[in-house]
Structure formats: structure tokens, C-alpha cells
Amino acid sequence: AECAGVDGIVVPAKGSAAINADAVKASAGALLRIPTARVPNLKVAMYYFRESEFQIVAASEKAEDEMYDVNFRKATVIVMGSEGSGISEPVLRLCTAGARIPMAGETGSLNVSVAAALVMFEAVRQRMS
């Protein structure tokens, strides 16, 4: 995220990975250079972003549009789901667009960190061209 120029990370207080020394170490310190907010209610944060005219893109294998078809030149929030259950229906309903990563193999989905990197760097590619 830091290498892609992400402005911030928002994570739910419940059910997300810990933001601790191990997370900082795993990120090679990059986590210390990105503002990170742990929010009690992710949907409330999403309402704030919608009211602030961000597009909210759900990165999901169930999305109709491929990530290349989404305009990431706009102010964008990218929503990633958990590796086990994906993005919940209430959160999906608050998203304004969907982005699917095209895949050729038989595996149904990618590790969430890999998927996040692919979507973030598609945004970088679009913004640089």
C-alpha cells in the first residue's frame, strides 16, 4: 500500500488483523508511514466516504467489471474482503463499483494481500498514464 501511494488504511475494530509490532515488521516498517484508522463500525466510515464523493470499489471475484474497466483516477476507496468469507453483503451494498481481477487458472480467488496489490497497482498504472 505504501509503495502504491495509498493515502490511508481503514480497518474494522473487530475481525481484522492486529496492527502491532508483528504487522509493522511484516510490512518492513511501511505501516508506520501510512495513516491507519481502526474504526468501530466500517459501514459508518463508508457512509462518510460516500458523502465525501469517493467512489467505493469492492474488489471481488463476483464483480461484473474487471479492474481495468474501473476508473481509478477518481478519489477511490478500495474494499478488500477477508480471505475466508469475502466482503459482507451489508458492506457490498454500500460500494459504488466492483472490480474483478481476471484469472485464467482454476483457483477461485487470490490471497487478499496479492489481490490488494494487483488492484492498487492498477490504480497506479491508470494515474500514471
Side-chain angles (χ1 to χ4, degrees):
E2 196 272 333
C3 292
V6 168
D7 293 315
I9 299 171
V10 177
V11 294
K14 282 188 168 185
S16 65
I19 300 171
N20 57 22
D22 290 336
V24 171
K25 183 178 177 184
S27 74
L31 189 55
L32 297 174
R33 293 186 289 278
I34 303 172
T36 304
R38 186 174 288 279
V39 297
N41 188 320
L42 190 57
K43 291 186 290 185
V44 170
M46 291 178 68
Y47 281 118
Y48 172 80
F49 285 120
R50 284 183 70 146
E51 289 174 12
S52 300
E53 299 185 8
F54 282 77
Q55 75 172 339
I56 303 175
V57 178
S60 169
E61 71 275 5
K62 298 171 188 159
E64 290 184 26
D65 294 327
E66 288 189 357
M67 65 181 184
Y68 308 114
D69 300 323
V70 176
N71 181 0
F72 286 109
R73 289 180 182 90
K74 299 178 184 179
T76 302
V77 172
I78 300 170
V79 178
M80 303 301 300
S82 70
E83 291 181 19
S85 56
I87 302 170
S88 71
E89 280 301 318
V91 170
L92 268 177
R93 284 193 293 272
L94 292 173
C95 295
T96 58
R100 179 175 41 82
I101 298 168
M103 297 190 350
E106 294 182 33
T107 304
S109 65
L110 298 168
N111 171 288
V112 71
S113 66
V114 172
L118 289 170
V119 175
M120 287 185 284
F121 277 93
E122 171 56 18
V124 169
R125 185 193 67 79
Q126 286 185 24
R127 291 172 182 183
M128 293 180 89
S129 59

